[in-house]
């Protein structure tokens, strides 16, 4: 029997806890700190709220007291802080890369340099830790251009600048005014890429890899991809544009060179690699790498894993270098999953907290994953910008989207907001059957 400690508090962690709880050998999953959903979703899931998630020495002591057999790092901060090293020192198994390997997420500047060294396709860029040098570089560029903080910023440290004035304002926000603290001390200024954006999640034990169905997120706050970047407003999965041919090209030109390149630089990667890509006219190009499950990508993709596949077994296999023994099966035929993120008033900047959440009867088949929620005297209230993720599957993209929005209609709280066009661009343009890649030989996905 396994006892799992899951570090994090968002919708991603609720989805992971839900899926891990379905593992027959999983005796209990402890969320640190968890949220209102993990607090009451299953008798096999509970929260540990009296230990801070980033107090790693104390967390290791609690893990031993709870007889934990596997620590799973859900949050980016835990991964980049090097929770794997604390676990190793304490004699605990941990699903996360080493702190050294997690630099692929912790420093966008390093990651861009790594891709350049390894010949992995990505946007042209410049990296700067001096504001004046960065500002001078702006004069050489074509617009729009992309400005990113190098460190962690919860998905919000990116600005697409339409002109030099906007770009300089972003630089000042990041480097002078310190909007994201030390994360913005170094910035990456890169070429704006056009195309279809997708996300790919890949398990690795350092040698073998297994890739899940692709996803497409919707980062901006308003319909039509307008407004500021957020942590994400919703995801569809699999992505219709991720045909078998596209996924094969991503494997050969991006994923394989990335894992081999990390090994060649002494950074063997164990855990889950998130790869954000733009499918440009000249082929796939990497936008970013993360060293853990995406949020809310996880809330979509995990629903596509067939019930016969044990997630806990996959994670343990990664830590034991036996991923080559594991077969990951996804549901057959064309499958789509959409996540609608309900954001509190003011998101992604300031937002209210403590508002009472009312949840009615959900349609059959709809999953509700909590993100920014907590229980106060047995009453569910808002506790973050992204409050809830509503997920659904369907035989077609249209059916999955419709079902997710039916789920959203069951939720009420003050000033709730959500985008009403998740997945709509594909529904409008779709005029012929869509083929989506499967990671299992012999399995085909077709849609009509």
């Amino acid at each position: 029997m396994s006892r799992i400690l899951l570090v994090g508090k968002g919708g991603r962690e609720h989805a992971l806890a839900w899926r891990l709880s379905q593992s027959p050998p999983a005796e209990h999953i402890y969320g640190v700190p968890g949220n209102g959903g993990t607090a009451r979703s299953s008798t096999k899931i509970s929260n540990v709220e009296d230990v801070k998630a980033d107090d790693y020495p104390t967390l290791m002591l609690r893990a031993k007291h709870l007889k934990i057999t596997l620590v799973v790092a859900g949050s980016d901060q835990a991964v980049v802080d090097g929770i794997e090293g604390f676990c190793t020192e304490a004699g605990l198994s941990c699903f996360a890369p080493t702190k050294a390997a997690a630099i692929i997420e912790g420093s966008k500047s390093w990651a861009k340099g790594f891709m350049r060294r390894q010949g992995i396709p990505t946007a042209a860029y410049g990296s700067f830790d001096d504001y004046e040098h960065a500002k001078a570089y702006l004069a050489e560029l074509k617009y729009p251009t992309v400005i990113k903080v190098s460190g962690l910023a919860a998905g919000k440290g990116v600005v697409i600048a339409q002109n030099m004035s906007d770009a300089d304002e972003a630089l000042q926000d990041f480097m002078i005014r310190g909007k994201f603290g030390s994360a913005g001390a170094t910035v990456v200024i890169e070429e704006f890429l056009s195309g279809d954006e997708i996300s790919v999640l890949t398990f690795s034990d350092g040698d073998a890899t297994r890739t899940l169905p692709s996803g497409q997120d919707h980062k901006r706050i308003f319909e039509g991809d307008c407004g500021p970047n957020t942590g994400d407003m919703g995801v569809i999965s699999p992505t219709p544009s991720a045909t078998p041919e596209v996924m094969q090209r991503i494997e050969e030109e991006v994923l394989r060179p990335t894992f081999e390149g990390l090994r060649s630089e002494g950074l063997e990667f164990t855990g889950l690699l998130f790869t954000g890509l733009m499918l440009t006219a000249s082929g796939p190009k990497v936008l970013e790498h993360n060293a853990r499950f995406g949020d809310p990508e996880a809330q979509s993709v995990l629903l596509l894993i067939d019930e016969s596949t044990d997630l806990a077994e996959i994670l343990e296999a990664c830590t034991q270098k036996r991923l080559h023994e594991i077969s990951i099966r996804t549901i057959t035929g064309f499958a789509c999953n959409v996540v609608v993120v309900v954001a509190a008033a003011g998101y992604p900047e300031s937002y209210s907290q403590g508002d009472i959440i009312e949840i009615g009867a959900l349609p059959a088949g709809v999953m509700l994953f909590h993100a920014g929620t907590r229980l106060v005297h047995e009453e569910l209230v808002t506790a973050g910008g992204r409050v809830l993720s509503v997920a659904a599957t369907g035989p077609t993209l249209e059916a999955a989207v419709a079902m997710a929005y039916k789920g959203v209609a069951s939720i009420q709280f003050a000033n709730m907001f959500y985008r009403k066009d998740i997945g709509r661009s594909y529904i409008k343009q779709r005029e012929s059957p869509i083929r989506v890649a499967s990671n299992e030989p012999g399995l085909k996905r077709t849609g009509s």
Side-chain angles (χ1 to χ4, degrees):
M1 298 296 285
S2 59
R3 297 167 69 87
I4 299 169
L5 189 73
L6 176 60
V7 182
K9 63 179 181 179
R12 163 184 53 212
E13 285 75 32
H14 189 186
L16 285 167
W18 163 76
R19 188 70 207 218
L20 289 168
S21 72
Q22 297 176 12
S23 170
E27 181 181 345
H28 203 84
I29 295 92
Y30 297 91
V32 183
N35 57 41
T38 52
R40 64 180 191 179
S41 60
S42 166
T43 56
K44 291 180 69 173
I45 305 170
S46 60
N47 292 345
V48 177
E49 300 180 16
D50 59 344
V51 178
K52 291 183 178 180
D54 59 356
D55 182 356
Y56 303 114
T58 304
L59 201 56
M60 296 304 104
L61 292 173
R62 180 58 60 87
K64 288 187 173 182
H65 176 75
L66 293 171
K67 296 181 172 56
I68 295 299
T69 58
L70 178 67
V71 176
V72 178
S75 71
D76 51 3
Q77 195 65 59
V79 171
V80 172
D81 283 349
I83 191 173
E84 183 275 340
F86 288 94
C87 290
T88 298
E89 188 176 335
L92 295 167
S93 181
C94 181
F95 179 78
T98 63
K99 183 175 183 177
I103 194 173
I104 198 166
E105 173 168 12
S107 171
K108 290 183 179 63
S109 178
W110 185 92
K112 294 291 284 191
F114 166 77
M115 286 185 273
R116 177 181 284 174
R117 292 192 298 276
Q118 299 297 332
I120 297 166
T122 188
Y125 79 102
S127 179
F128 304 90
D129 57 15
D130 179 83
Y131 166 72
E132 293 298 336
H133 290 163
K135 183 178 180 180
Y137 183 68
L138 297 179
E140 305 173 16
L141 303 177
K142 293 181 179 179
Y143 290 86
T145 197
V146 182
I147 319 289
K148 300 179 178 180
V149 301
S150 182
L152 300 180
K156 302 167 191 172
V158 180
V159 170
I160 299 173
Q162 300 299 321
N163 51 57
M164 186 171 172
S165 176
D166 290 347
D168 182 46
E169 184 68 18
L171 283 183
Q172 291 188 49
D173 271 350
F174 297 163
M175 305 184 80
I176 304 298
R177 293 188 278 269
K179 182 176 182 178
F180 295 102
S182 61
T186 298
V187 299
V188 171
I189 304 174
E190 67 180 25
E191 167 194 15
F192 176 80
L193 298 177
S194 296
D196 213 10
E197 185 174 345
I198 70 169
S199 305
V200 175
L201 279 61
T202 305
F203 291 106
S204 171
D205 67 0
D207 291 320
T209 62
R210 296 286 186 271
T211 295
L212 295 171
S214 65
Q216 184 173 75
D217 56 14
H218 298 68
K219 290 187 173 68
R220 299 218 181 176
I221 187 72
F222 300 123
E223 280 85 10
D225 290 323
C226 296
N229 266 17
T230 70
D232 215 317
M233 297 298 292
V235 170
I236 59 169
S237 175
T239 312
S241 56
T243 63
E245 294 81 9
V246 167
M247 292 301 289
Q248 183 62 32
R249 189 169 180 182
I250 290 170
E251 172 66 32
E252 294 174 356
E253 298 178 15
V254 175
L255 298 178
R256 193 176 302 155
T258 297
F259 289 111
E260 290 177 354
L262 287 169
R263 278 196 297 271
S264 73
E265 297 192 15
L267 300 172
E268 183 176 281
F269 189 96
T270 298
L272 186 129
L273 184 72
F274 172 111
T275 306
L277 303 117
M278 187 70 78
L279 304 183
T280 73
S282 59
K285 294 187 178 183
V286 177
L287 298 173
E288 64 174 342
H289 283 301
N290 295 324
R292 38 71 193 178
F293 284 92
D295 187 345
E297 286 83 358
Q299 293 94 294
S300 288
V301 175
L302 290 176
L303 281 166
L304 295 173
I305 298 177
D306 188 81
E307 292 180 357
S308 65
T309 296
D310 187 331
L311 180 62
E313 184 182 13
I314 298 171
L315 305 190
E316 289 172 350
C318 287
T319 68
Q320 298 166 4
K321 256 195 183 326
R322 55 179 185 84
L323 186 59
H324 64 281
E325 302 173 0
I326 302 297
S327 176
I328 301 178
R329 295 190 174 277
T330 53
I331 58 177
T332 56
F334 181 84
C336 175
N337 188 297
V338 64
V339 174
V340 180
V341 179
V342 187
Y347 184 77
E349 301 298 336
S350 61
Y351 45 81
S352 61
Q353 297 190 51
D355 296 316
I356 295 172
I357 303 169
E358 296 180 1
I359 301 172
L362 292 169
V366 170
M367 292 298 302
L368 183 63
F369 296 119
H370 292 235
T373 72
R374 61 190 175 96
L375 286 177
V376 178
H377 305 303
E378 296 304 311
E379 197 162 50
L380 191 67
V381 301
T382 61
R386 286 189 290 174
V387 178
L388 298 161
S389 292
V390 185
T393 56
T396 64
L397 176 60
E398 294 89 339
V401 168
M403 186 60 69
Y405 279 108
K406 285 183 181 178
V408 173
S410 302
I411 300 164
Q412 288 187 345
F413 60 88
N415 299 310
M416 67 176 273
F417 176 83
Y418 56 94
R419 277 181 58 167
K420 301 175 180 62
D421 65 342
I422 305 300
R424 299 295 185 192
S425 61
Y426 277 120
I427 292 173
K428 288 180 180 178
Q429 66 186 241
R430 185 175 148 190
E431 298 177 352
S432 60
I434 300 172
R435 293 187 303 137
V436 180
S438 168
N439 60 334
E440 283 295 316
L443 281 182
K444 294 183 179 179
R445 296 179 177 279
T446 58
S448 60

